[in-house]
């Protein structure tokens, strides 16, 4: 990176953090510290829920995913607008009416303490573990791109977030997120425009999509129903609906965002704004990936995008073989470029025979480069069984650092930092509020003053910040456990959602029935996930439906008196 | 807060919350339809 990029990066981060701290300087009582005095307008809430959901990996993975697998990932979000509607009708009015600080508080009023404690603890485990990954994942990528030790990038992101979250609480989180999202939108839009401008002469926007489409990258919709297919319209609408409803309705990192709304109406408007914008935003991010794919049909990409893994294999006894493969890859790329140019000319002249011929040639050339790349990956695996052979996350940043103009590189690197900080800040804030409200204030110290609870919240934020930082620093050594942590949400969210669905819609069912149902449902979900019976998106639906059915069954079978005797 | 109070917070071109929810669902159907057209056009 050039000096200008470093300056842009530093100034962007500094301005946002100072702004967040300045705007949140009045957060002195618990109400202000944890829910921002319930005073924020809808656009704050909308941008804040979007920033919480969009981690750095969203902006790195999505274009890379489109590059390697096309746009079908957009279907993952189809359930989101429906979930927003259900949230606005059911969850938001109840949470606002009861003036709760956390979602789990409501469960004690509806059921009992043990159900509240169970859901709060499940959340703390899931969010505590996954936040470390939220910091680690972009840190490792930034360290590879910036050539800085991963420990420094991890500590840098983690420490900055801890400082402003501890200082300003939820208001600081919300104000920084609003600015972060504005910069992210602007940066991604600029990147998209520049990719189109950098395409070779004769290749315009429509052409570039046609070329990508011929190679299977413009595949936004798949109507086929298959329980093992992660991205289809049906898995997105049904599985995605349950996932998004669980996430936005029961994960405190999101509930905490819309509890800051000044009224039910403002919280609803913020969530509905998310429902309107999220899918087009994700589509545009994927579109950038598709344009980068076309760009690399005319400009030679590296055979493998993760430079660290390439360096490893080049230092090993497989170096000569890898170099030979790279040479063959360069030759194969020349043929692919010729085929892509031929296809462009055929498309411009609208000559169907020429299009058909050039398309066949391009497919063959693409298959040849893919084969060579796979042979390179196989060498990496032979050299190191634990090698990270998925380079999806590196595609977009590699493009940014090699082809975008000075200044913009710094801005886009800042976007990665900002996205990581935004989602981490929400997570720390929610971990602190759940720890203090659902455990410390409810069980350990019921009679402290408001000031003491604010201090406890600050200490809890620091505690969880350190836990997440340690998790991030050791994440590299977790191996397969890392993947398990990433999937942990799907194992837990559905069950928590089931508890809330029973609470809202099945008024006759009591605490013990739902508590027992939640425990059994968790076992069912773990079994389905472990045996890989279905794609992970469906686990949310299975978890939720299992709780509802088992709770109804348990409530029917259990004698009514046992409901009281077991209650804490 | 009563429903009528909450509805004052809606944009002027939307009558009530149910209408807004309807718009969201129509928007989703429209997006799926547009993406499907894009998929088959560029296939």
């Amino acid at each position: 990176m050039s000096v200008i990029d470093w300056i842009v990066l530093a100034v962007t981060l500094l301005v946002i953090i100072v702004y967040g701290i300045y705007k949140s300087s009045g957060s002195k009582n618990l109400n202000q510290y944890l829910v921002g005095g319930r005073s924020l307008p809808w656009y704050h809430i909308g941008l804040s829920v979007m920033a919480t959901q969009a981690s750095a990996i969203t902006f790195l993975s999505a274009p890379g995913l489109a590059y390697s697998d096309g746009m079908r990932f957009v279907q993952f979000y189809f359930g989101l607008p429906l979930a927003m509607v259900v949230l606005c009708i059911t969850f938001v009015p109840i949470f606002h009416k009861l003036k709760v600080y956390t979602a789990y508080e409501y469960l004690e009023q509806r059921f009992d303490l043990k159900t509240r404690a169970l859901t709060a603890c499940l959340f703390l485990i899931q969010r505590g573990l996954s936040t470390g990954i939220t910091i680690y994942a972009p840190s490792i990528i930034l360290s590879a791109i910036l050539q800085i030790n991963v420990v420094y990038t991890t500590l840098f992101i983690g420490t900055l977030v801890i400082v402003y979250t501890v200082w300003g609480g939820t208001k600081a989180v919300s104000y920084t997120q609003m600015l972060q999202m504005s910069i992210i939108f602007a940066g991604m839009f600029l990147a998209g425009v520049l990719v189109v401008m950098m395409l070779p002469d004769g290749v315009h926007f429509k052409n570039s999509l046609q070329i990508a489409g011929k190679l299977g990258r413009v595949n936004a919709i798949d109507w086929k129903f298959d329980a093992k297919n992660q991205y289809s319209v049906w898995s997105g609408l049904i599985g995605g609906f349950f996932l998004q409803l669980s996430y936005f309705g029961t994960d405190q990192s999101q509930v905490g965002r819309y509890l800051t709304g000044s009224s039910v109406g403002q919280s609803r408007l913020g969530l509905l704004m998310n429902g309107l914008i999220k899918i087009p935003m994700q589509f545009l991010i994927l579109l950038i990936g598709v344009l980068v794919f076309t760009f690399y049909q005319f400009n030679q990409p590296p055979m493998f995008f993760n430079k660290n893994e390439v360096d490893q294999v080049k230092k090993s006894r497989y170096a000569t073989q890898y170099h030979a493969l790279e040479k063959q890859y360069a030759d194969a790329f020349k043929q692919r470029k010729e085929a892509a140019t031929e296809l462009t000319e055929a498309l411009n002249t609208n000559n169907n025979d020429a299009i058909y011929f050039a398309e066949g040639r391009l497919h063959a050339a693409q298959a040849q480069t893919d084969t060579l790349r796979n042979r390179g990956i196989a060498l990496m695996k032979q050299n190191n069984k634990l090698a990270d052979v998925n380079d999806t996350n590196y595609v977009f940043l590699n493009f940014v650092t090699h082809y975008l103009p000075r200044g913009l590189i710094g801005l886009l690197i800042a976007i990665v930092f900002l996205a990581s900080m935004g989602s981490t800040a929400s997570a720390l804030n929610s971990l602190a509020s759940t720890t203090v409200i659902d455990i410390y204030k409810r069980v350990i110290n019921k009679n402290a003053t408001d000031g003491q609870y604010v201090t406890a919240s600050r200490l809890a934020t620091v505690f969880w910040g350190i836990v997440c930082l340690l998790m991030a620093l050791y994440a590299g050594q977790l191996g397969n456990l890392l993947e398990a942590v990433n999937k942990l949400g799907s194992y837990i969210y559905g069950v928590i959602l089931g508890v809330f669905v029973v609470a809202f819609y099945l008024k006759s069912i009591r605490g013990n029935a739902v508590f027992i149902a939640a425990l059994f449902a968790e076992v069912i979900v773990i079994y389905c996930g472990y045996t890989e019976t279905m794609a992970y998106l469906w686990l949310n639906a299975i978890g939720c439906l299992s709780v509802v059915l088992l709770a109804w069954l348990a409530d029917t079978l259990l004698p009514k008196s046992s409901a009281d005797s077991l209650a804490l | 807060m009563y429903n009528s109070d909450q509805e004052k917070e809606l944009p002027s071109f939307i009558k009530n919350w149910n209408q807004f929810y309807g718009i969201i669902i129509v928007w989703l159907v429209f997006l799926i339809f547009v993406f499907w057209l894009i998929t088959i056009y560029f296939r």
Side-chain angles (χ1 to χ4, degrees), chain A residues 78 81-82 85 88-89 206 209-210 213-214 218-221 223 237 263-266 268-269 272 276 279-280 283, chain B residues 1 3 6 9-11 17-18 20-25 27-28 31-33 35-43:
Chain A
F78 285 173
L82 302 175
V85 170
C88 290
I89 294 171
K206 187 181 162 191
L209 289 184
Q210 283 175 317
K214 301 285 181 207
V218 189
N219 53 349
I221 295 291
W223 294 103
L237 279 174
S263 66
V264 176
Q266 294 300 307
R268 279 177 170 170
L269 285 173
L272 293 177
L276 284 172
I279 296 177
F283 181 83
Chain B
M1 192 180 271
N3 266 339
Q6 291 166 25
E9 298 176 67
L10 283 164
W17 287 105
N18 285 341
F20 204 164
Y21 302 148
I23 290 171
I24 297 278
I25 291 164
W27 174 241
L28 173 65
L31 286 176
I32 293 175
F33 181 67
F35 294 165
W36 178 60
L37 288 182
I38 291 171
T39 303
I40 52 174
Y41 182 78
F42 289 107
R43 187 175 289 163

Side-chain angles (χ1 to χ4, degrees), chain A residues 189-485:
Chain A
F189 178 77
L190 266 176
V193 170
L194 281 170
V195 187
V196 177
M197 285 170 66
M198 284 191 294
L199 290 167
D201 290 340
V203 185
H204 45 77
F205 180 69
K206 187 181 162 191
N207 267 351
S208 64
L209 289 184
Q210 283 175 317
I211 293 166
K214 301 285 181 207
L215 291 167
R217 296 312 192 270
V218 189
N219 53 349
I221 295 291
D222 181 357
W223 294 103
K224 238 183 280 166
F225 185 89
D226 178 2
K228 293 201 170 180
N229 182 4
Q230 286 189 17
Y231 309 121
S232 72
V233 170
W234 310 113
S235 68
L237 279 174
I238 304 168
F241 167 74
F242 279 96
L243 173 70
Q244 307 292 350
L245 190 60
S246 322
Y247 175 54
F248 283 96
T250 71
D251 188 311
Q252 181 58 27
S253 66
Q254 283 295 358
V255 177
R257 299 295 94 217
Y258 57 81
L259 284 179
T260 58
S262 60
S263 66
V264 176
Q266 294 300 307
S267 295
R268 279 177 170 170
L269 285 173
L271 287 171
L272 293 177
M273 169 191 163
N274 186 34
L276 284 172
I277 295 176
K278 182 73 186 181
I279 296 177
M281 182 189 99
Q282 211 59 46
F283 181 83
L284 291 176
I285 294 172
L286 288 165
L287 190 65
I288 293 173
V290 168
L291 293 170
V292 169
F293 174 80
T294 307
F295 174 84
Y296 277 132
Q297 298 300 309
F298 300 95
N299 299 275
Q300 192 185 333
M303 193 165 76
F304 193 75
F305 284 92
N306 183 348
K307 198 173 171 296
N308 277 357
E309 295 296 344
V310 174
D311 288 346
Q312 291 291 322
V313 79
K314 281 184 176 174
K315 284 178 197 160
S316 74
R317 61 197 169 104
Y318 300 103
T320 321
Q321 282 170 271
Y322 195 86
H323 279 296
L325 276 178
E326 279 191 327
K327 215 171 169 194
Q328 288 175 46
Y329 185 84
D331 294 337
F333 168 75
K334 276 179 199 159
Q335 288 178 22
R336 194 176 81 184
K337 185 179 173 182
E338 278 171 24
T341 310
E342 212 174 287
L343 180 60
T344 311
E345 283 163 9
L347 287 167
N348 285 339
T349 52
N350 218 4
N351 181 338
N352 283 338
D353 288 341
I355 291 172
Y356 182 76
F357 179 75
E359 193 185 330
R361 219 186 133 196
L362 184 60
H363 268 285
Q366 179 72 34
Q368 175 65 11
T369 50
D370 285 348
T371 308
L372 291 165
R373 181 180 135 86
N374 288 336
R375 281 166 61 189
I377 289 171
L379 281 182
M380 286 175 195
K381 274 286 201 196
Q382 277 175 16
N383 178 47
N384 174 14
K385 279 184 185 165
L386 294 174
D388 181 8
V389 293
N390 180 0
D391 61 348
T392 307
N393 293 335
Y394 295 83
V395 174
F396 184 57
L397 268 190
N398 191 286
F399 166 78
V400 167
T401 50
H402 284 86
Y403 294 99
L404 290 192
R406 282 178 188 178
L408 198 59
I409 298 173
L411 185 70
L412 283 157
I413 299 282
I415 283 175
V416 179
F417 275 107
L418 294 175
S420 175
M421 286 157 58
S423 44
T424 307
S426 285
L428 291 185
N429 189 247
S430 64
L431 286 164
S433 39
T434 307
T435 307
V436 171
I437 299 295
D438 294 306
I439 294 171
Y440 181 72
K441 188 169 182 246
R442 177 64 185 83
V443 182
I444 300 169
N445 188 357
K446 288 183 182 174
N447 302 314
T449 62
D450 202 59
Q452 285 171 322
Y453 287 133
V454 173
T455 309
S457 302
R458 289 204 158 105
L459 290 173
T461 311
V462 174
F463 167 77
W464 282 109
I466 292 169
V467 169
C468 295
L469 259 183
L470 287 175
M471 178 79 190
L473 287 171
Y474 287 99
Q477 292 161 31
L478 290 176
N480 290 338
L481 201 60
L482 197 65
E483 203 184 334
V485 171

Side-chain angles (χ1 to χ4, degrees), chain A residues 32 35-41 45 171 175 259-263 266:
Chain A
Q32 284 178 335
V35 287
R38 300 184 204 271
S39 62
L40 299 182
I45 296 160
K171 253 188 175 176
Y175 274 98
L259 284 179
T260 58
S262 60
S263 66
Q266 294 300 307

Side-chain angles (χ1 to χ4, degrees), chain A residues 131 147 159-160 207 231 320 462 499 555 567:
Chain A
T131 304
Q147 298 291 302
T159 311
L160 279 184
N207 267 351
Y231 309 121
T320 321
V462 174
V499 174
D555 198 62

